[in-house]
Amino acid sequence: MGKEWAVLARHTSAVELGAEKEAVKEARKRFTSCSVAFLSPQEALHVSFSLTWDVKILGNFLTELCLFCRSSGFVCCPGWRQQEEECPIAVCEGNFTCTNNEVCVRPNECRCRHGYFGANCETKCPRLFWGPDCKELCNCYPNGQCEDVTGQCTCNANRWGPRCENVCLCKHGKCDQKTGKCSCEPNWWGPLCANACYCSLNSQCDQKTGHCLCQPGWWGRTCNNQCACSTSPCEQFTGRCQCRSRTFGPRCDRYCQCHMGKCNQVDGTCTCEPGYRGKFCREACPAGFYGQGCRRRCGQCKELQPCTIVDGRCLACEAGWNGTKCDQICSSGFYGEGCEQICPPCKDGHTCNHINGKCSHCNPGWIGDRCETKCRNGTYGENCAFVCSSCFNGECHFETGRCLCQAGFHGML
């Protein structure tokens, strides 16, 4: 089988500016090689495919990519270095090694880095120019300087804007180069940094308001006064001491005696935490009480166990009670341990006792704690309080007292 030749310029409708990658995609579809080459805008690359899966490069047209394909995998062509599955990095070595101001663009071919020009790339671009061979005109000159590669402007200290076209109005500060907003120098404030601060060395000037922000231990409008509060801070405008935790008094120099509570910063009296009481908050709530000042009673904790002194929680509840504090009776229709038992049918749908399940009243014809027993011994009605009249050939109904005749008989009695 002979070699198959392909001229990409003929098979990809010509390679136009910016279309190199599309040409490569097209070539990969048409040929079963594992490699093709990016092309320059005006040149076409002749690629031959052989049975040994070699890719031969004919001519000097290669600009960005060159790959071999062998059975062992990808191998870069001479003069190119692999990056992932392609070989886009040109190599310049030996006598052709690039200097610090040069960059390798093709095998053993160097060009000046952006921002430099000259035979040996030793000359920096004048401030008016930037880019490759310093051919691009800087549009922010003379009010700024262009970055060598991108051309982005870095404005002079007194200018701002995309092209440094705006004058900075900050009197004692610097402009944000994008917005023109002022950042004031120390001891100056205001939108244009035109106002002087009058703060002492013990403070920092707020650059928006001009107010003095005192350092810890100082107070006053200009922070000239020293706090007299032991190790505690003082209020900035009055000098009044703001005592730290567990200290009190006008100068915060007295130690708080509250064991489980907080001190009043003026006189040192204690405000106890929930669950404690006493002058110095050293006494826990007695059994059966909890909360702030031990003023709340525990709920129906099982076997009279004490609740938690802080929030009144019980480990378990007595029969007929539920909730974390055992202070809620069972829901209607339930009773007993954990409120899991269902009430019997008490009179007119009334609920049973939430503790033992007993009914307070039964429907007519029923008696017993759970209304489970019919009236007997010739009685009927509510609480079986009525005596049946004589039913000669029948029996008295336990609810209504009416006679129910036997088969073959009729009549009231």
Side-chain angles (χ1 to χ4, degrees):
M1 183 175 179
K3 296 181 179 179
E4 182 182 4
W5 290 83
V7 180
L8 296 187
R10 294 176 184 171
H11 290 286
T12 58
S13 301
V15 180
E16 299 177 355
L17 183 63
E20 293 94 338
K21 293 186 178 179
E22 292 302 319
V24 171
K25 290 179 182 178
E26 170 100 7
R28 281 178 173 161
K29 293 178 183 177
R30 295 179 60 83
F31 306 107
T32 55
S33 164
C34 68
S35 169
V36 290
F38 287 130
L39 308 174
S40 64
Q42 292 80 23
E43 299 164 328
L45 175 65
H46 296 271
V47 183
S48 67
F49 302 90
S50 69
L51 295 177
T52 58
W53 290 90
D54 288 337
V55 176
K56 295 180 180 179
I57 307 302
L58 306 180
N60 296 317
F61 305 111
L62 186 61
T63 60
E64 294 187 32
L65 174 65
C66 176
L67 290 175
F68 281 93
C69 189
R70 298 184 185 277
S71 59
S72 59
F74 287 113
V75 179
C76 290
C77 296
W80 296 88
R81 185 182 304 150
Q82 185 170 348
Q83 186 179 56
E84 296 179 355
E85 293 185 356
E86 296 181 344
C87 300
I89 304 173
V91 178
C92 299
E93 51 192 358
N95 293 333
F96 300 97
T97 302
C98 300
T99 65
N100 289 337
N101 295 332
E102 295 177 326
V103 61
C104 187
V105 293
R106 292 184 180 87
N108 293 332
E109 183 180 335
C110 298
R111 282 187 181 176
C112 295
R113 288 184 183 277
H114 288 199
Y116 292 86
F117 74 106
N120 297 317
C121 303
E122 294 178 348
T123 307
K124 191 82 170 63
C125 291
R127 291 188 62 184
L128 184 57
F129 299 95
W130 65 279
D133 298 323
C134 304
K135 293 181 179 179
E136 301 292 335
L137 185 65
C138 180
N139 59 15
C140 51
Y141 182 82
N143 298 317
Q145 187 170 354
C146 286
E147 200 274 330
D148 291 336
V149 177
T150 64
Q152 184 174 353
C153 293
T154 300
C155 299
N156 298 337
N158 63 336
R159 310 290 294 196
W160 68 277
R163 299 182 180 181
C164 308
E165 67 272 24
N166 302 312
V167 177
C168 179
L169 300 177
C170 306
K171 302 299 182 182
H172 298 276
K174 294 182 179 179
C175 279
D176 183 288
Q177 295 209 343
K178 292 183 179 180
T179 65
K181 185 178 180 180
C182 296
S183 296
C184 299
E185 298 171 358
N187 298 319
W188 292 91
W189 69 280
L192 300 180
C193 305
N195 304 313
C197 294
Y198 297 98
C199 301
S200 70
L201 296 176
N202 307 311
S203 64
Q204 184 176 356
C205 180
D206 186 316
Q207 295 190 335
K208 291 183 179 179
T209 64
H211 293 162
C212 300
L213 306 176
C214 298
Q215 295 177 2
W218 297 87
W219 69 281
R221 189 177 183 83
T222 58
C223 305
N224 279 319
N225 305 314
Q226 192 167 9
C227 297
C229 306
S230 188
T231 59
S232 295
C234 64
E235 204 279 328
Q236 177 169 335
F237 296 106
T238 66
R240 185 173 61 188
C241 294
Q242 297 173 322
C243 295
R244 296 186 188 277
S245 177
R246 310 199 70 78
T247 61
F248 72 98
R251 296 178 179 271
C252 303
D253 54 358
R254 301 183 66 181
Y255 183 71
C256 177
Q257 300 296 318
C258 304
H259 180 64
M260 296 297 293
K262 293 182 179 179
C263 274
N264 182 295
Q265 292 191 348
V266 177
D267 57 16
T269 54
C270 298
T271 299
C272 299
E273 297 175 2
Y276 292 89
R277 65 180 185 175
K279 183 177 181 180
F280 298 116
C281 306
R282 296 179 181 273
E283 304 172 33
C285 292
F289 295 88
Y290 74 97
Q292 193 72 46
C294 304
R295 290 187 290 269
R296 305 191 67 178
R297 287 185 176 273
C298 294
Q300 300 296 319
C301 299
K302 191 171 184 179
E303 296 177 354
L304 300 180
Q305 290 292 320
C307 64
T308 55
I309 60 175
V310 176
D311 55 13
R313 291 175 177 266
C314 297
L315 294 176
C317 300
E318 287 284 4
W321 297 88
N322 64 9
T324 57
K325 299 177 182 179
C326 300
D327 55 355
Q328 302 169 20
I329 63 172
C330 296
S331 300
S332 178
F334 296 89
Y335 75 98
E337 191 85 23
C339 298
E340 295 177 349
Q341 303 297 316
I342 299 176
C343 285
C346 302
K347 183 179 180 180
D348 297 331
H350 285 256
T351 188
C352 67
N353 183 282
H354 65 97
I355 297 174
N356 54 31
K358 291 183 179 181
C359 294
S360 57
H361 293 89
C362 297
N363 287 325
W366 298 89
I367 57 173
D369 291 339
R370 289 171 173 75
C371 302
E372 75 280 13
T373 305
K374 289 182 180 180
C375 293
R376 51 193 175 187
N377 298 327
T379 61
Y380 73 95
E382 190 167 342
N383 297 325
C384 301
F386 301 94
V387 178
C388 292
S389 58
S390 297
C391 294
F392 296 104
N393 292 296
E395 60 180 16
C396 175
H397 190 276
F398 69 98
E399 291 181 350
T400 64
R402 292 180 60 189
C403 287
L404 301 177
C405 299
Q406 296 175 5
F409 295 90
H410 67 89
M412 297 296 294
L413 302 176

mmCIF file of all heavy atoms in Angstrom, residues 85-123:
data_model
loop_
_atom_site.group_PDB
_atom_site.id
_atom_site.type_symbol
_atom_site.label_atom_id
_atom_site.label_comp_id
_atom_site.label_asym_id
_atom_site.label_seq_id
_atom_site.Cartn_x
_atom_site.Cartn_y
_atom_site.Cartn_z
ATOM 1 N N GLU A 85 -1.246 16.093 25.434
ATOM 2 C CA GLU A 85 -1.247 15.235 24.263
ATOM 3 C C GLU A 85 -0.808 15.968 23.002
ATOM 4 O O GLU A 85 -0.999 15.472 21.892
ATOM 5 C CB GLU A 85 -2.653 14.646 24.056
ATOM 6 C CG GLU A 85 -3.066 13.690 25.155
ATOM 7 C CD GLU A 85 -4.405 13.034 24.860
ATOM 8 O OE1 GLU A 85 -5.017 13.402 23.831
ATOM 9 O OE2 GLU A 85 -4.811 12.159 25.632
ATOM 10 N N GLU A 86 -0.216 17.142 23.161
ATOM 11 C CA GLU A 86 0.265 17.884 22.013
ATOM 12 C C GLU A 86 1.682 18.372 22.272
ATOM 13 O O GLU A 86 2.218 18.214 23.378
ATOM 14 C CB GLU A 86 -0.678 19.045 21.700
ATOM 15 C CG GLU A 86 -2.072 18.579 21.295
ATOM 16 C CD GLU A 86 -2.994 19.731 20.964
ATOM 17 O OE1 GLU A 86 -2.665 20.877 21.335
ATOM 18 O OE2 GLU A 86 -4.038 19.493 20.328
ATOM 19 N N CYS A 87 2.290 18.958 21.250
ATOM 20 C CA CYS A 87 3.677 19.432 21.346
ATOM 21 C C CYS A 87 3.750 20.891 20.936
ATOM 22 O O CYS A 87 4.293 21.228 19.873
ATOM 23 C CB CYS A 87 4.589 18.580 20.462
ATOM 24 S SG CYS A 87 4.607 16.833 20.894
ATOM 25 N N PRO A 88 3.207 21.791 21.728
ATOM 26 C CA PRO A 88 3.130 23.192 21.307
ATOM 27 C C PRO A 88 4.336 24.041 21.703
ATOM 28 O O PRO A 88 4.388 25.215 21.353
ATOM 29 C CB PRO A 88 1.884 23.680 22.048
ATOM 30 C CG PRO A 88 1.894 22.894 23.318
ATOM 31 C CD PRO A 88 2.496 21.543 22.976
ATOM 32 N N ILE A 89 5.307 23.488 22.459
ATOM 33 C CA ILE A 89 6.394 24.298 23.004
ATOM 34 C C ILE A 89 7.638 24.131 22.138
ATOM 35 O O ILE A 89 8.213 23.036 22.044
ATOM 36 C CB ILE A 89 6.695 23.893 24.454
ATOM 37 C CG1 ILE A 89 5.425 24.006 25.309
ATOM 38 C CG2 ILE A 89 7.806 24.754 25.031
ATOM 39 C CD1 ILE A 89 5.578 23.473 26.707
ATOM 40 N N ALA A 90 8.054 25.214 21.515
ATOM 41 C CA ALA A 90 9.272 25.177 20.698
ATOM 42 C C ALA A 90 10.502 25.151 21.597
ATOM 43 O O ALA A 90 10.501 25.692 22.712
ATOM 44 C CB ALA A 90 9.316 26.390 19.775
ATOM 45 N N VAL A 91 11.588 24.529 21.106
ATOM 46 C CA VAL A 91 12.821 24.385 21.884
ATOM 47 C C VAL A 91 13.951 25.094 21.138
ATOM 48 O O VAL A 91 14.177 24.854 19.940
ATOM 49 C CB VAL A 91 13.181 22.903 22.090
ATOM 50 C CG1 VAL A 91 14.488 22.783 22.853
ATOM 51 C CG2 VAL A 91 12.054 22.191 22.826
ATOM 52 N N CYS A 92 14.634 25.984 21.858
ATOM 53 C CA CYS A 92 15.822 26.658 21.335
ATOM 54 C C CYS A 92 16.988 26.311 22.243
ATOM 55 O O CYS A 92 16.959 26.655 23.436
ATOM 56 C CB CYS A 92 15.622 28.169 21.279
ATOM 57 S SG CYS A 92 14.276 28.704 20.204
ATOM 58 N N GLU A 93 18.012 25.635 21.736
ATOM 59 C CA GLU A 93 19.090 25.161 22.597
ATOM 60 C C GLU A 93 20.427 25.276 21.888
ATOM 61 O O GLU A 93 20.511 25.598 20.697
ATOM 62 C CB GLU A 93 18.825 23.716 23.019
ATOM 63 C CG GLU A 93 18.518 22.771 21.887
ATOM 64 C CD GLU A 93 17.985 21.431 22.376
ATOM 65 O OE1 GLU A 93 17.897 21.254 23.602
ATOM 66 O OE2 GLU A 93 17.668 20.580 21.525
ATOM 67 N N GLY A 94 21.481 25.014 22.681
ATOM 68 C CA GLY A 94 22.833 25.128 22.137
ATOM 69 C C GLY A 94 23.167 26.568 21.805
ATOM 70 O O GLY A 94 22.920 27.489 22.588
ATOM 71 N N ASN A 95 23.726 26.766 20.622
ATOM 72 C CA ASN A 95 24.071 28.116 20.176
ATOM 73 C C ASN A 95 22.849 28.975 19.917
ATOM 74 O O ASN A 95 22.964 30.181 19.706
ATOM 75 C CB ASN A 95 24.928 28.044 18.905
ATOM 76 C CG ASN A 95 26.284 27.428 19.170
ATOM 77 O OD1 ASN A 95 26.807 27.498 20.292
ATOM 78 N ND2 ASN A 95 26.883 26.806 18.139
ATOM 79 N N PHE A 96 21.697 28.341 19.886
ATOM 80 C CA PHE A 96 20.456 29.074 19.591
ATOM 81 C C PHE A 96 19.642 29.375 20.851
ATOM 82 O O PHE A 96 18.482 29.774 20.763
ATOM 83 C CB PHE A 96 19.603 28.274 18.609
ATOM 84 C CG PHE A 96 20.276 28.008 17.299
ATOM 85 C CD1 PHE A 96 20.926 26.801 17.081
ATOM 86 C CD2 PHE A 96 20.289 28.959 16.300
ATOM 87 C CE1 PHE A 96 21.541 26.547 15.875
ATOM 88 C CE2 PHE A 96 20.907 28.716 15.089
ATOM 89 C CZ PHE A 96 21.554 27.504 14.859
ATOM 90 N N THR A 97 20.233 29.159 22.030
ATOM 91 C CA THR A 97 19.525 29.414 23.286
ATOM 92 C C THR A 97 19.144 30.886 23.388
ATOM 93 O O THR A 97 19.962 31.776 23.120
ATOM 94 C CB THR A 97 20.389 29.031 24.491
ATOM 95 O OG1 THR A 97 20.728 27.646 24.373
ATOM 96 C CG2 THR A 97 19.646 29.263 25.804
ATOM 97 N N CYS A 98 17.885 31.160 23.799
ATOM 98 C CA CYS A 98 17.392 32.537 23.887
ATOM 99 C C CYS A 98 17.953 33.233 25.119
ATOM 100 O O CYS A 98 18.210 32.613 26.156
ATOM 101 C CB CYS A 98 15.864 32.556 23.933
ATOM 102 S SG CYS A 98 15.076 31.816 22.483
ATOM 103 N N THR A 99 18.129 34.548 25.043
ATOM 104 C CA THR A 99 18.557 35.353 26.181
ATOM 105 C C THR A 99 17.359 35.652 27.079
ATOM 106 O O THR A 99 16.227 35.269 26.786
ATOM 107 C CB THR A 99 19.190 36.667 25.708
ATOM 108 O OG1 THR A 99 18.176 37.442 25.049
ATOM 109 C CG2 THR A 99 20.338 36.407 24.719
ATOM 110 N N ASN A 100 17.618 36.375 28.163
ATOM 111 C CA ASN A 100 16.542 36.678 29.125
ATOM 112 C C ASN A 100 15.415 37.493 28.500
ATOM 113 O O ASN A 100 14.256 37.367 28.900
ATOM 114 C CB ASN A 100 17.108 37.437 30.327
ATOM 115 C CG ASN A 100 17.969 36.549 31.200
ATOM 116 O OD1 ASN A 100 17.827 35.329 31.181
ATOM 117 N ND2 ASN A 100 18.876 37.154 31.958
ATOM 118 N N ASN A 101 15.741 38.333 27.530
ATOM 119 C CA ASN A 101 14.728 39.201 26.925
ATOM 120 C C ASN A 101 14.162 38.627 25.641
ATOM 121 O O ASN A 101 13.522 39.339 24.861
ATOM 122 C CB ASN A 101 15.313 40.589 26.658
ATOM 123 C CG ASN A 101 15.688 41.299 27.946
ATOM 124 O OD1 ASN A 101 15.091 41.053 28.987
ATOM 125 N ND2 ASN A 101 16.691 42.163 27.874
ATOM 126 N N GLU A 102 14.411 37.324 25.389
ATOM 127 C CA GLU A 102 13.917 36.676 24.187
ATOM 128 C C GLU A 102 13.003 35.510 24.555
ATOM 129 O O GLU A 102 13.037 35.001 25.664
ATOM 130 C CB GLU A 102 15.090 36.150 23.338
ATOM 131 C CG GLU A 102 15.982 37.233 22.774
ATOM 132 C CD GLU A 102 17.160 36.644 22.008
ATOM 133 O OE1 GLU A 102 17.646 35.565 22.410
ATOM 134 O OE2 GLU A 102 17.596 37.269 21.027
ATOM 135 N N VAL A 103 12.212 35.074 23.582
ATOM 136 C CA VAL A 103 11.340 33.923 23.756
ATOM 137 C C VAL A 103 11.445 33.057 22.496
ATOM 138 O O VAL A 103 11.564 33.573 21.381
ATOM 139 C CB VAL A 103 9.881 34.373 23.999
ATOM 140 C CG1 VAL A 103 9.346 35.153 22.814
ATOM 141 C CG2 VAL A 103 8.992 33.177 24.297
ATOM 142 N N CYS A 104 11.439 31.730 22.700
ATOM 143 C CA CYS A 104 11.566 30.780 21.593
ATOM 144 C C CYS A 104 10.206 30.634 20.909
ATOM 145 O O CYS A 104 9.228 30.215 21.522
ATOM 146 C CB CYS A 104 12.059 29.439 22.128
ATOM 147 S SG CYS A 104 12.460 28.231 20.849
ATOM 148 N N VAL A 105 10.134 30.958 19.607
ATOM 149 C CA VAL A 105 8.854 30.903 18.881
ATOM 150 C C VAL A 105 8.788 29.719 17.925
ATOM 151 O O VAL A 105 7.710 29.223 17.611
ATOM 152 C CB VAL A 105 8.607 32.214 18.121
ATOM 153 C CG1 VAL A 105 8.379 33.349 19.096
ATOM 154 C CG2 VAL A 105 9.755 32.525 17.159
ATOM 155 N N ARG A 106 9.932 29.240 17.409
ATOM 156 C CA ARG A 106 10.048 28.046 16.579
ATOM 157 C C ARG A 106 11.337 27.350 16.959
ATOM 158 O O ARG A 106 12.187 27.954 17.607
ATOM 159 C CB ARG A 106 10.061 28.414 15.085
ATOM 160 C CG ARG A 106 8.742 28.979 14.570
ATOM 161 C CD ARG A 106 8.823 29.228 13.052
ATOM 162 N NE ARG A 106 7.571 29.766 12.550
ATOM 163 C CZ ARG A 106 7.262 31.055 12.521
ATOM 164 N NH1 ARG A 106 8.120 31.936 12.989
ATOM 165 N NH2 ARG A 106 6.098 31.457 12.038
ATOM 166 N N PRO A 107 11.512 26.102 16.585
ATOM 167 C CA PRO A 107 12.765 25.421 16.942
ATOM 168 C C PRO A 107 13.983 26.245 16.534
ATOM 169 O O PRO A 107 14.131 26.633 15.362
ATOM 170 C CB PRO A 107 12.681 24.108 16.161
ATOM 171 C CG PRO A 107 11.219 23.840 16.055
ATOM 172 C CD PRO A 107 10.591 25.185 15.877
ATOM 173 N N ASN A 108 14.791 26.602 17.591
ATOM 174 C CA ASN A 108 16.040 27.345 17.411
ATOM 175 C C ASN A 108 15.823 28.720 16.788
ATOM 176 O O ASN A 108 16.708 29.257 16.122
ATOM 177 C CB ASN A 108 17.032 26.537 16.564
ATOM 178 C CG ASN A 108 17.502 25.292 17.294
ATOM 179 O OD1 ASN A 108 17.546 25.258 18.520
ATOM 180 N ND2 ASN A 108 17.862 24.261 16.548
ATOM 181 N N GLU A 109 14.637 29.303 17.014
ATOM 182 C CA GLU A 109 14.356 30.653 16.521
ATOM 183 C C GLU A 109 13.814 31.501 17.656
ATOM 184 O O GLU A 109 12.760 31.196 18.230
ATOM 185 C CB GLU A 109 13.358 30.615 15.368
ATOM 186 C CG GLU A 109 13.085 31.993 14.781
ATOM 187 C CD GLU A 109 12.098 31.954 13.625
ATOM 188 O OE1 GLU A 109 11.992 30.886 12.984
ATOM 189 O OE2 GLU A 109 11.430 32.974 13.387
ATOM 190 N N CYS A 110 14.535 32.562 18.005
ATOM 191 C CA CYS A 110 14.162 33.437 19.125
ATOM 192 C C CYS A 110 13.639 34.767 18.599
ATOM 193 O O CYS A 110 14.050 35.245 17.533
ATOM 194 C CB CYS A 110 15.369 33.703 20.020
ATOM 195 S SG CYS A 110 16.069 32.218 20.789
ATOM 196 N N ARG A 111 12.715 35.332 19.378
ATOM 197 C CA ARG A 111 12.248 36.689 19.122
ATOM 198 C C ARG A 111 12.293 37.476 20.418
ATOM 199 O O ARG A 111 12.290 36.904 21.503
ATOM 200 C CB ARG A 111 10.816 36.674 18.580
ATOM 201 C CG ARG A 111 10.705 36.304 17.120
ATOM 202 C CD ARG A 111 9.277 36.490 16.638
ATOM 203 N NE ARG A 111 9.133 36.110 15.242
ATOM 204 C CZ ARG A 111 7.977 36.104 14.590
ATOM 205 N NH1 ARG A 111 6.858 36.456 15.234
ATOM 206 N NH2 ARG A 111 7.920 35.763 13.316
ATOM 207 N N CYS A 112 12.272 38.785 20.286
ATOM 208 C CA CYS A 112 12.274 39.621 21.486
ATOM 209 C C CYS A 112 10.980 39.437 22.275
ATOM 210 O O CYS A 112 9.893 39.315 21.695
ATOM 211 C CB CYS A 112 12.428 41.094 21.105
ATOM 212 S SG CYS A 112 14.013 41.507 20.335
ATOM 213 N N ARG A 113 11.118 39.433 23.584
ATOM 214 C CA ARG A 113 9.921 39.464 24.427
ATOM 215 C C ARG A 113 9.183 40.770 24.197
ATOM 216 O O ARG A 113 9.776 41.780 23.793
ATOM 217 C CB ARG A 113 10.309 39.372 25.915
ATOM 218 C CG ARG A 113 10.798 38.017 26.344
ATOM 219 C CD ARG A 113 11.048 38.014 27.855
ATOM 220 N NE ARG A 113 11.590 36.750 28.291
ATOM 221 C CZ ARG A 113 10.870 35.669 28.555
ATOM 222 N NH1 ARG A 113 9.542 35.724 28.428
ATOM 223 N NH2 ARG A 113 11.433 34.551 28.949
ATOM 224 N N HIS A 114 7.862 40.730 24.483
ATOM 225 C CA HIS A 114 7.102 41.971 24.403
ATOM 226 C C HIS A 114 7.732 43.007 25.337
ATOM 227 O O HIS A 114 8.021 42.715 26.500
ATOM 228 C CB HIS A 114 5.648 41.732 24.821
ATOM 229 C CG HIS A 114 4.868 40.954 23.799
ATOM 230 N ND1 HIS A 114 3.507 40.933 23.763
ATOM 231 C CD2 HIS A 114 5.277 40.187 22.761
ATOM 232 C CE1 HIS A 114 3.100 40.178 22.750
ATOM 233 N NE2 HIS A 114 4.157 39.708 22.137
ATOM 234 N N GLY A 115 7.893 44.203 24.824
ATOM 235 C CA GLY A 115 8.476 45.266 25.635
ATOM 236 C C GLY A 115 9.946 45.516 25.346
ATOM 237 O O GLY A 115 10.538 46.427 25.941
ATOM 238 N N TYR A 116 10.551 44.684 24.450
ATOM 239 C CA TYR A 116 11.970 44.845 24.114
ATOM 240 C C TYR A 116 12.127 44.829 22.602
ATOM 241 O O TYR A 116 11.323 44.249 21.864
ATOM 242 C CB TYR A 116 12.809 43.726 24.727
ATOM 243 C CG TYR A 116 12.889 43.791 26.237
ATOM 244 C CD1 TYR A 116 11.909 43.200 27.032
ATOM 245 C CD2 TYR A 116 13.925 44.475 26.860
ATOM 246 C CE1 TYR A 116 11.970 43.275 28.402
ATOM 247 C CE2 TYR A 116 13.998 44.558 28.243
ATOM 248 C CZ TYR A 116 13.019 43.950 29.008
ATOM 249 O OH TYR A 116 13.082 44.026 30.366
ATOM 250 N N PHE A 117 13.211 45.459 22.126
ATOM 251 C CA PHE A 117 13.508 45.445 20.695
ATOM 252 C C PHE A 117 15.018 45.590 20.517
ATOM 253 O O PHE A 117 15.780 45.723 21.480
ATOM 254 C CB PHE A 117 12.736 46.550 19.959
ATOM 255 C CG PHE A 117 13.262 47.939 20.192
ATOM 256 C CD1 PHE A 117 13.975 48.602 19.195
ATOM 257 C CD2 PHE A 117 13.065 48.600 21.398
ATOM 258 C CE1 PHE A 117 14.461 49.890 19.395
ATOM 259 C CE2 PHE A 117 13.547 49.874 21.610
ATOM 260 C CZ PHE A 117 14.246 50.526 20.594
ATOM 261 N N GLY A 118 15.447 45.544 19.255
ATOM 262 C CA GLY A 118 16.870 45.656 18.936
ATOM 263 C C GLY A 118 17.448 44.336 18.489
ATOM 264 O O GLY A 118 16.835 43.273 18.630
ATOM 265 N N ALA A 119 18.666 44.392 17.954
ATOM 266 C CA ALA A 119 19.304 43.184 17.422
ATOM 267 C C ALA A 119 19.473 42.115 18.479
ATOM 268 O O ALA A 119 19.283 40.914 18.213
ATOM 269 C CB ALA A 119 20.669 43.558 16.824
ATOM 270 N N ASN A 120 19.783 42.495 19.690
ATOM 271 C CA ASN A 120 19.965 41.536 20.779
ATOM 272 C C ASN A 120 18.862 41.649 21.834
ATOM 273 O O ASN A 120 19.007 41.124 22.933
ATOM 274 C CB ASN A 120 21.341 41.741 21.437
ATOM 275 C CG ASN A 120 22.472 41.485 20.470
ATOM 276 O OD1 ASN A 120 22.444 40.515 19.712
ATOM 277 N ND2 ASN A 120 23.471 42.382 20.468
ATOM 278 N N CYS A 121 17.794 42.320 21.486
ATOM 279 C CA CYS A 121 16.639 42.492 22.393
ATOM 280 C C CYS A 121 17.058 43.086 23.739
ATOM 281 O O CYS A 121 16.501 42.748 24.787
ATOM 282 C CB CYS A 121 15.927 41.155 22.620
ATOM 283 S SG CYS A 121 15.367 40.346 21.119
ATOM 284 N N GLU A 122 17.995 43.999 23.713
ATOM 285 C CA GLU A 122 18.514 44.580 24.954
ATOM 286 C C GLU A 122 17.870 45.926 25.272
ATOM 287 O O GLU A 122 18.059 46.458 26.371
ATOM 288 C CB GLU A 122 20.033 44.754 24.846
ATOM 289 C CG GLU A 122 20.798 43.438 24.764
ATOM 290 C CD GLU A 122 22.294 43.643 24.608
ATOM 291 O OE1 GLU A 122 22.693 44.808 24.337
ATOM 292 O OE2 GLU A 122 23.040 42.663 24.752
ATOM 293 N N THR A 123 17.107 46.461 24.337
ATOM 294 C CA THR A 123 16.569 47.809 24.525
ATOM 295 C C THR A 123 15.101 47.745 24.946
ATOM 296 O O THR A 123 14.289 47.093 24.289
ATOM 297 C CB THR A 123 16.676 48.627 23.231
ATOM 298 O OG1 THR A 123 18.018 48.590 22.776
ATOM 299 C CG2 THR A 123 16.237 50.066 23.462
#
